[in-house]
Coordinates of all heavy atoms in Angstrom, one line a residue:
R1 N 159.4 74.4 205.9 CA 158.2 75.1 206.1 C 157.7 75.4 204.8 O 158.3 75.7 203.7 CB 158.8 76.5 206.8 CG 157.7 77.5 206.9 CD 158.1 78.8 207.6 NE 159.4 78.8 208.1 CZ 159.9 80.0 208.6 NH1 159.4 81.0 208.4 NH2 161.1 79.9 209.1
R2 N 156.4 75.4 204.7 CA 155.6 75.9 203.5 C 155.5 77.3 203.4 O 155.5 78.0 204.3 CB 154.1 75.3 203.6 CG 154.1 73.8 203.6 CD 152.7 73.2 203.7 NE 151.7 74.2 204.2 CZ 151.0 74.2 205.3 NH1 151.2 73.0 206.1 NH2 150.1 75.0 205.7
S3 N 155.5 77.7 202.2 CA 155.4 79.2 201.9 C 154.1 79.8 202.5 O 154.2 81.0 202.8 CB 155.5 79.5 200.5 OG 154.5 79.0 199.8
S4 N 153.0 79.0 202.6 CA 151.8 79.5 203.0 C 151.9 79.8 204.6 O 150.9 80.4 205.1 CB 150.7 78.5 202.8 OG 150.9 77.3 203.5
D5 N 152.9 79.4 205.3 CA 153.1 79.8 206.6 C 153.9 81.0 206.9 O 154.3 81.3 208.0 CB 153.9 78.7 207.4 CG 153.0 77.3 207.4 OD1 151.7 77.4 207.4 OD2 153.6 76.2 207.6
L6 N 154.2 81.7 205.8 CA 155.1 82.9 205.9 C 154.3 84.1 206.1 O 153.3 84.4 205.4 CB 156.0 83.1 204.7 CG 157.0 82.1 204.5 CD1 157.7 82.3 203.1 CD2 158.0 82.0 205.5
I7 N 154.8 85.1 207.0 CA 154.2 86.3 207.1 C 155.3 87.4 207.1 O 156.3 87.1 207.7 CB 153.5 86.6 208.5 CG1 152.3 85.6 208.7 CG2 153.0 88.0 208.7 CD1 151.7 85.6 210.0
I8 N 155.3 88.3 206.1 CA 156.4 89.2 205.9 C 155.8 90.7 206.4 O 154.8 91.1 206.1 CB 156.7 89.5 204.5 CG1 157.2 88.1 203.9 CG2 157.8 90.5 204.3 CD1 157.5 88.0 202.5
F9 N 156.6 91.2 207.4 CA 156.4 92.5 207.8 C 157.2 93.5 207.1 O 158.5 93.3 207.0 CB 156.6 92.7 209.2 CG 155.7 91.9 210.2 CD1 155.9 90.6 210.6 CD2 154.7 92.5 210.7 CE1 155.1 89.9 211.4 CE2 153.7 91.8 211.4 CZ 153.9 90.6 211.8
V10 N 156.7 94.6 206.5 CA 157.4 95.5 205.7 C 157.3 96.9 206.3 O 156.1 97.4 206.4 CB 157.0 95.5 204.2 CG1 157.8 96.6 203.4 CG2 157.1 94.2 203.6
D11 N 158.3 97.5 206.7 CA 158.3 98.9 207.2 C 158.3 99.9 206.1 O 159.4 100.0 205.4 CB 159.4 99.3 208.2 CG 159.3 100.5 208.8 OD1 158.7 101.5 208.4 OD2 159.8 100.7 210.0
I12 N 157.2 100.4 205.7 CA 157.0 101.2 204.5 C 157.6 102.5 204.6 O 157.7 103.2 203.6 CB 155.6 101.2 203.9 CG1 154.7 101.9 205.0 CG2 155.0 99.8 203.7 CD1 153.3 102.2 204.3
M13 N 158.0 103.0 205.8 CA 158.6 104.3 205.9 C 160.1 104.3 205.7 O 160.7 105.4 205.8 CB 158.2 104.9 207.4 CG 156.8 104.9 207.5 SD 155.8 105.8 206.2 CE 156.3 107.4 206.6
I14 N 160.7 103.2 205.5 CA 162.2 103.1 205.1 C 162.5 103.8 204.0 O 161.9 103.4 202.8 CB 162.7 101.7 205.3 CG1 162.6 101.1 206.8 CG2 164.2 101.6 204.9 CD1 163.0 99.8 206.8
D15 N 163.5 104.7 203.9 CA 163.8 105.3 202.5 C 164.3 104.2 201.5 O 164.9 103.1 201.9 CB 165.0 106.2 202.8 CG 164.5 107.5 203.6 OD1 163.3 107.7 203.6 OD2 165.5 108.1 204.3
D16 N 164.1 104.6 200.3 CA 164.6 103.7 199.2 C 163.8 102.4 199.1 O 164.5 101.5 198.5 CB 166.0 103.5 199.3 CG 166.9 104.8 199.1 OD1 166.4 105.7 198.4 OD2 167.9 104.8 199.8
I17 N 162.6 102.2 199.7 CA 161.9 101.0 199.5 C 160.7 101.3 198.5 O 160.0 102.2 198.8 CB 161.5 100.5 200.9 CG1 162.5 99.8 201.7 CG2 160.3 99.4 200.7 CD1 162.0 99.1 203.0
N18 N 160.6 100.4 197.6 CA 159.5 100.5 196.6 C 158.5 99.5 197.0 O 158.5 98.3 196.7 CB 160.1 100.2 195.2 CG 159.0 100.4 194.1 OD1 157.8 100.1 194.4 ND2 159.4 101.0 193.0
V19 N 157.4 100.0 197.7 CA 156.4 99.1 198.2 C 155.7 98.2 197.1 O 155.5 97.2 197.3 CB 155.4 99.9 199.0 CG1 154.3 99.1 199.5 CG2 156.1 100.6 200.2
N20 N 155.4 98.9 196.1 CA 154.7 98.2 194.9 C 155.7 97.1 194.4 O 155.2 96.0 194.2 CB 154.4 99.2 193.8 CG 153.3 100.2 194.1 OD1 152.4 99.7 194.9 ND2 153.4 101.3 193.7
R21 N 156.9 97.3 194.3 CA 157.8 96.3 193.9 C 157.9 95.2 194.7 O 157.9 93.9 194.3 CB 159.3 96.9 193.6 CG 160.1 95.8 193.1 CD 161.2 96.5 192.1 NE 162.4 95.7 191.9 CZ 162.3 94.5 191.1 NH1 161.1 94.2 190.4 NH2 163.4 93.9 190.9
I22 N 157.9 95.4 196.0 CA 158.0 94.4 197.0 C 156.7 93.4 196.9 O 156.7 92.2 196.8 CB 158.1 94.8 198.4 CG1 159.5 95.5 198.7 CG2 157.9 93.7 199.5 CD1 159.7 96.3 199.9
C23 N 155.6 94.1 196.8 CA 154.2 93.4 196.7 C 154.2 92.6 195.5 O 153.9 91.4 195.5 CB 153.1 94.4 196.8 SG 152.8 95.0 198.4
N24 N 154.6 93.1 194.4 CA 154.7 92.4 193.1 C 155.5 91.3 193.1 O 155.3 90.1 192.7 CB 155.0 93.3 192.0 CG 153.9 94.4 191.6 OD1 152.8 94.2 191.9 ND2 154.3 95.5 190.9
I25 N 156.8 91.4 193.6 CA 157.7 90.3 193.7 C 157.1 89.1 194.5 O 157.1 87.9 194.1 CB 159.1 90.7 194.3 CG1 159.8 91.7 193.3 CG2 160.0 89.5 194.7 CD1 161.0 92.4 193.9
V26 N 156.5 89.4 195.6 CA 155.9 88.3 196.5 C 154.7 87.7 195.8 O 154.5 86.5 195.7 CB 155.6 88.9 197.9 CG1 154.9 87.9 198.7 CG2 156.9 89.4 198.6
R27 N 153.8 88.7 195.3 CA 152.6 88.1 194.7 C 152.8 87.3 193.5 O 152.0 86.4 193.1 CB 151.6 89.2 194.6 CG 151.2 90.0 195.7 CD 150.5 89.0 196.8 NE 150.1 89.7 198.0 CZ 150.2 89.2 199.2 NH1 150.6 87.9 199.3 NH2 149.8 89.8 200.2
E28 N 153.8 87.7 192.6 CA 154.1 87.0 191.5 C 154.8 85.7 191.5 O 155.0 84.9 190.6 CB 154.7 88.0 190.4 CG 153.8 89.1 190.0 CD 154.5 90.2 189.1 OE1 155.8 90.1 188.9 OE2 153.7 91.1 188.8
N29 N 155.5 85.5 192.6 CA 156.4 84.3 192.9 C 155.5 83.1 193.3 O 154.9 83.2 194.4 CB 157.5 84.6 193.9 CG 158.4 83.5 194.0 OD1 158.1 82.3 194.0 ND2 159.7 83.8 194.3
S30 N 155.4 82.1 192.5 CA 154.5 81.0 192.8 C 155.0 80.2 194.2 O 154.1 79.6 194.8 CB 154.4 80.0 191.7 OG 155.8 79.5 191.4
E31 N 156.3 80.3 194.5 CA 156.8 79.5 195.7 C 156.4 80.4 196.9 O 156.4 79.9 198.0 CB 158.2 79.6 195.6 CG 158.8 78.6 194.5 CD 160.4 78.5 194.6 OE1 160.9 78.9 195.5 OE2 160.8 78.0 193.6
L32 N 155.9 81.7 196.7 CA 155.5 82.4 197.8 C 154.1 82.5 197.8 O 153.5 83.4 198.7 CB 156.1 83.8 197.8 CG 157.7 83.9 197.9 CD1 158.2 85.3 197.7 CD2 158.1 83.2 199.3
Q33 N 153.3 81.8 197.1 CA 151.8 81.9 197.1 C 151.3 81.6 198.4 O 151.7 80.7 199.1 CB 151.3 80.9 196.1 CG 149.8 81.0 195.9 CD 149.2 80.1 194.8 OE1 150.0 79.1 194.5 NE2 148.1 80.4 194.4
G34 N 150.4 82.4 199.0 CA 149.8 82.2 200.3 C 150.5 83.1 201.4 O 150.1 83.1 202.5
T35 N 151.7 83.6 201.0 CA 152.4 84.4 202.0 C 151.6 85.6 202.3 O 151.1 86.4 201.4 CB 153.7 84.9 201.3 OG1 154.6 83.8 201.1 CG2 154.5 85.8 202.3
R36 N 151.6 86.0 203.6 CA 150.9 87.1 204.0 C 151.8 88.4 204.2 O 153.0 88.2 204.8 CB 150.1 86.9 205.3 CG 149.0 85.8 205.1 CD 147.9 86.3 204.1 NE 147.1 85.2 203.8 CZ 146.6 85.0 202.6 NH1 146.8 85.9 201.6 NH2 145.7 84.0 202.4
M37 N 151.4 89.5 203.8 CA 152.3 90.7 204.1 C 151.5 91.7 204.8 O 150.3 92.1 204.6 CB 152.6 91.3 202.7 CG 153.5 90.3 201.9 SD 154.2 90.8 200.3 CE 153.8 92.5 200.1
I38 N 152.3 92.2 205.9 CA 151.8 93.2 206.8 C 152.6 94.4 206.6 O 153.8 94.4 206.9 CB 151.7 92.7 208.2 CG1 150.7 91.4 208.3 CG2 151.2 93.7 209.2 CD1 150.7 90.8 209.5
A39 N 152.0 95.6 206.4 CA 152.8 96.9 206.4 C 152.9 97.4 207.8 O 151.9 97.3 208.5 CB 152.1 97.8 205.4
I40 N 154.0 98.0 208.1 CA 154.2 98.7 209.2 C 154.5 100.2 208.9 O 155.4 100.5 208.0 CB 155.4 98.2 210.2 CG1 155.0 96.7 210.5 CG2 155.6 99.0 211.4 CD1 156.2 96.0 211.2
T41 N 153.9 101.2 209.5 CA 154.0 102.5 209.2 C 153.9 103.4 210.4 O 153.3 102.9 211.4 CB 153.1 103.0 208.1 OG1 153.3 104.4 207.7 CG2 151.7 102.8 208.5
S42 N 154.3 104.6 210.4 CA 154.3 105.5 211.6 C 152.9 106.4 211.5 O 152.5 106.7 212.6 CB 155.4 106.5 211.7 OG 155.6 107.2 210.4
A43 N 152.4 106.5 210.4 CA 151.1 107.4 210.3 C 150.4 107.0 209.0 O 151.0 106.8 208.0 CB 151.5 108.9 210.2
L44 N 149.1 106.9 209.2 CA 148.4 106.4 208.1 C 146.9 106.8 208.4 O 146.3 106.7 209.4 CB 148.3 104.8 208.1 CG 148.2 104.1 206.8 CD1 149.3 104.4 205.8 CD2 148.3 102.6 207.1
T45 N 146.2 107.3 207.2 CA 144.8 107.5 207.3 C 144.1 106.2 206.9 O 144.7 105.4 206.4 CB 144.4 108.6 206.3 OG1 144.6 108.2 205.0 CG2 145.2 109.9 206.6
E46 N 142.8 106.2 207.1 CA 142.1 104.9 206.9 C 142.1 104.8 205.4 O 142.2 103.5 204.9 CB 140.6 105.1 207.3 CG 139.8 103.9 207.2 CD 138.4 104.0 207.7 OE1 138.2 104.5 208.8 OE2 137.5 103.4 207.1
G47 N 142.0 105.9 204.6 CA 142.2 105.7 203.1 C 143.5 105.2 202.7 O 143.6 104.4 201.8
E48 N 144.5 105.6 203.3 CA 145.9 105.1 203.0 C 146.0 103.6 203.4 O 146.7 102.9 202.7 CB 147.0 105.9 203.7 CG 147.1 107.4 203.1 CD 147.9 108.3 204.1 OE1 148.0 108.1 205.2 OE2 148.5 109.2 203.6
G49 N 145.4 103.2 204.4 CA 145.4 101.8 204.8 C 144.8 100.9 203.9 O 145.1 99.9 203.4
H50 N 143.6 101.3 203.3 CA 142.9 100.7 202.2 C 143.7 100.7 200.8 O 143.8 99.6 200.2 CB 141.5 101.4 201.9 CG 140.5 101.1 203.1 ND1 140.1 99.8 203.4 CD2 139.9 102.0 203.9 CE1 139.2 100.1 204.4 NE2 139.1 101.3 204.7
A51 N 144.4 101.7 200.7 CA 145.3 101.7 199.4 C 146.4 100.7 199.5 O 146.8 100.0 198.7 CB 145.8 103.2 199.2
L52 N 147.0 100.6 200.8 CA 148.0 99.5 201.0 C 147.5 98.2 200.7 O 148.0 97.3 200.1 CB 148.5 99.7 202.4 CG 149.5 100.7 202.7 CD1 149.9 100.7 204.2 CD2 150.8 100.6 201.9
M53 N 146.3 97.9 201.1 CA 145.6 96.6 200.9 C 145.4 96.3 199.5 O 145.5 95.2 199.0 CB 144.4 96.5 201.9 CG 144.9 96.5 203.4 SD 143.5 96.4 204.6 CE 143.1 94.6 204.6
Q54 N 145.1 97.4 198.8 CA 144.9 97.2 197.2 C 146.1 97.0 196.6 O 146.1 96.4 195.5 CB 144.1 98.5 196.7 CG 142.6 98.6 197.1 CD 142.1 99.9 196.6 OE1 142.7 100.8 196.3 NE2 140.7 99.9 196.5
Q55 N 147.2 97.4 197.2 CA 148.6 97.3 196.6 C 149.1 95.8 196.8 O 149.9 95.3 196.1 CB 149.6 98.2 197.1 CG 149.4 99.6 196.7 CD 150.4 100.6 197.4 OE1 151.1 100.2 198.4 NE2 150.4 101.8 196.9
G56 N 148.4 95.1 197.7 CA 148.8 93.6 198.0 C 149.0 93.3 199.4 O 149.3 92.2 199.6
F57 N 149.0 94.4 200.4 CA 149.2 94.0 201.7 C 148.0 93.4 202.3 O 146.9 93.6 201.8 CB 149.6 95.3 202.5 CG 151.0 95.6 202.3 CD1 151.3 96.6 201.4 CD2 152.0 95.1 203.0 CE1 152.8 97.0 201.1 CE2 153.3 95.5 202.9 CZ 153.6 96.4 201.9
D58 N 148.0 92.4 203.2 CA 146.9 91.8 203.9 C 146.4 92.5 205.1 O 145.3 92.4 205.4 CB 147.3 90.4 204.2 CG 147.7 89.5 203.0 OD1 146.6 89.3 202.2 OD2 148.8 89.2 202.9
N59 N 147.3 93.4 205.7 CA 147.0 94.2 206.8 C 148.0 95.2 207.1 O 149.0 95.2 206.3 CB 146.8 93.2 208.1 CG 145.7 93.8 209.1 OD1 145.5 95.0 209.1 ND2 145.2 93.1 209.9
Y60 N 147.9 96.1 208.0 CA 148.8 97.0 208.4 C 148.7 97.3 209.9 O 147.7 97.1 210.5 CB 148.6 98.3 207.6 CG 147.3 98.9 207.8 CD1 147.2 99.9 208.7 CD2 146.3 98.7 207.0 CE1 145.9 100.6 208.9 CE2 145.0 99.3 207.0 CZ 144.9 100.3 208.0 OH 143.7 100.8 208.2
L61 N 149.9 97.7 210.3 CA 150.0 98.2 211.8 C 150.6 99.6 211.8 O 151.6 99.9 211.0 CB 151.1 97.2 212.6 CG 150.6 95.9 212.9 CD1 151.7 95.1 213.4 CD2 149.5 96.1 214.0
C62 N 150.1 100.5 212.7 CA 150.6 101.8 212.9 C 151.4 101.9 214.0 O 151.1 101.4 215.1 CB 149.4 102.8 212.9 SG 148.6 103.1 211.3
K63 N 152.7 102.4 214.0 CA 153.5 102.6 215.1 C 153.0 103.8 215.9 O 152.4 104.7 215.2 CB 154.9 103.0 214.7 CG 155.7 102.0 213.8 CD 157.0 102.6 213.5 CE 157.5 101.8 212.3 NZ 158.8 102.4 211.8
P64 N 153.1 103.8 217.1 CA 153.7 102.7 217.9 C 152.4 101.7 218.2 O 151.4 102.2 218.2 CB 154.0 103.3 219.3 CG 153.1 104.5 219.4 CD 152.8 105.0 218.0
F65 N 152.8 100.5 218.2 CA 151.9 99.4 218.5 C 152.4 98.5 219.5 O 153.7 98.5 219.8 CB 151.6 98.6 217.2 CG 152.8 98.0 216.5 CD1 153.3 96.8 216.9 CD2 153.4 98.7 215.4 CE1 154.4 96.3 216.4 CE2 154.3 98.3 214.8 CZ 154.9 96.9 215.2
D66 N 151.6 97.9 220.2 CA 152.1 96.9 221.3 C 152.0 95.5 220.9 O 151.5 95.2 219.8 CB 151.3 97.2 222.7 CG 149.7 96.9 222.4 OD1 149.4 96.1 221.6 OD2 149.0 97.5 223.1
V67 N 152.6 94.7 221.7 CA 152.8 93.2 221.4 C 151.3 92.7 221.1 O 151.2 91.8 220.1 CB 153.4 92.5 222.5 CG1 153.4 91.1 222.3 CG2 154.9 93.0 222.6
A68 N 150.3 93.0 221.8 CA 149.0 92.5 221.7 C 148.4 92.8 220.4 O 147.9 92.0 219.7 CB 148.0 92.9 222.8
Q69 N 148.7 94.0 219.8 CA 148.2 94.4 218.5 C 149.0 93.6 217.4 O 148.3 93.1 216.5 CB 148.5 95.8 218.2 CG 147.5 96.7 219.0 CD 147.8 98.2 219.0 OE1 149.0 98.5 219.3 NE2 147.0 99.1 218.5
M70 N 150.2 93.3 217.6 CA 150.9 92.6 216.6 C 150.5 91.1 216.6 O 150.4 90.5 215.7 CB 152.4 92.6 216.9 CG 153.4 91.8 215.9 SD 155.1 92.1 216.2 CE 155.6 92.8 214.7
V71 N 150.4 90.5 217.9 CA 149.9 89.2 218.0 C 148.5 89.1 217.2 O 148.3 88.0 216.6 CB 149.7 88.8 219.4 CG1 149.0 87.4 219.6 CG2 151.1 88.6 220.0
E72 N 147.7 90.0 217.4 CA 146.3 90.0 216.8 C 146.4 90.0 215.3 O 145.7 89.3 214.6 CB 145.5 91.1 217.2 CG 144.0 91.1 216.7 CD 143.2 92.3 217.1 OE1 143.5 92.9 218.2 OE2 142.1 92.6 216.6
C73 N 147.3 90.8 214.8 CA 147.5 90.9 213.4 C 148.0 89.5 212.8 O 147.7 89.3 211.8 CB 148.5 92.0 213.2 SG 148.5 92.6 211.5
V74 N 149.0 89.0 213.5 CA 149.5 87.6 213.1 C 148.3 86.6 213.2 O 148.4 85.8 212.2 CB 150.8 87.3 214.0 CG1 151.1 85.8 213.8 CG2 151.9 88.2 213.6
E75 N 147.8 86.6 214.2 CA 146.5 85.6 214.4 C 145.5 85.8 213.2 O 145.1 84.7 212.5 CB 145.8 85.8 215.7 CG 146.6 85.2 216.8 CD 146.1 85.5 218.1 OE1 145.1 86.2 218.3 OE2 146.4 84.7 219.1
D76 N 145.2 87.0 212.9 CA 144.3 87.3 211.7 C 144.9 86.8 210.4 O 144.2 86.1 209.6 CB 144.1 88.8 211.5 CG 143.2 89.4 212.7 OD1 142.5 88.5 213.3 OD2 143.1 90.6 212.8
A77 N 146.2 86.9 210.2 CA 146.9 86.4 209.0 C 146.8 85.0 209.0 O 146.7 84.4 207.9 CB 148.3 87.0 208.9
L78 N 147.2 84.3 210.1 CA 147.2 83.0 210.1 C 145.7 82.3 209.9 O 145.6 81.2 209.3 CB 147.7 82.4 211.5 CG 149.2 82.6 211.7 CD1 149.6 82.2 213.1 CD2 150.1 81.9 210.6
A79 N 144.7 83.0 210.4 CA 143.4 82.6 210.1 C 143.0 82.5 208.7 O 142.3 81.8 208.1 CB 142.4 83.4 210.9
I80 N 143.5 83.5 207.9 CA 143.4 83.6 206.5 C 144.1 82.4 205.8 O 143.6 81.8 204.8 CB 143.9 85.0 205.9 CG1 143.1 86.2 206.5 CG2 143.9 84.9 204.4 CD1 143.6 87.5 206.2
I81 N 145.3 82.1 206.3 CA 146.1 81.1 205.6 C 145.4 79.7 205.8 O 145.4 78.9 205.1 CB 147.6 81.1 206.3 CG1 148.3 82.3 205.8 CG2 148.3 79.8 205.8 CD1 149.6 82.6 206.6
H82 N 145.0 79.4 207.0 CA 144.5 78.0 207.4 C 143.0 78.0 207.4 O 142.1 78.3 207.2 CB 145.0 77.6 208.8 CG 146.5 77.5 208.8 ND1 147.1 76.5 208.3 CD2 147.5 78.4 209.4 CE1 148.4 76.8 208.4 NE2 148.7 77.7 209.1

């Protein structure tokens, strides 16, 4: 599998997770170039969503979400990749 086919979902509400560090590791690794990252969170304002995207995420999902929303998010990420 090519790294450009990867989509990483990160639950940013898990304790002891440094979101900035995760983004930096993925974005700085040449083998992961093209990898898409989607944040998952339980509550987010529009401004916080934009901040996540500035940190390196390609999109975000707010819990609770349904399968259709997740599929749409993946399709959007794949459209960016290809």
Side-chain angles (χ1 to χ4, degrees):
R1 179 183 341 172
R2 297 184 336 248
S3 63
S4 62
D5 293 334
L6 295 177
I7 300 173
I8 299 173
F9 290 88
V10 180
D11 188 333
I12 63 170
M13 301 307 288
I14 295 175
D15 291 338
D16 300 327
I17 285 187
N18 184 326
V19 174
N20 287 325
R21 179 145 168 75
I22 291 171
C23 287
N24 288 337
I25 288 170
V26 172
R27 297 301 180 216
E28 293 173 0
N29 186 327
S30 62
E31 293 180 17
L32 297 175
Q33 187 175 18
T35 297
R36 299 295 170 216
M37 295 187 6
I38 300 171
I40 298 175
T41 183
S42 59
L44 209 59
T45 66
E46 187 173 324
E48 291 167 330
H50 290 296
L52 284 172
M53 294 176 82
Q54 288 178 339
Q55 289 174 350
F57 284 95
D58 297 290
N59 209 340
Y60 58 91
L61 285 168
C62 291
K63 298 176 197 174
F65 54 86
D66 58 33
V67 173
Q69 290 170 303
M70 184 175 238
V71 168
E72 181 180 343
C73 198
V74 169
E75 287 175 342
D76 289 346
L78 291 174
I80 293 169
I81 292 170
H82 297 287

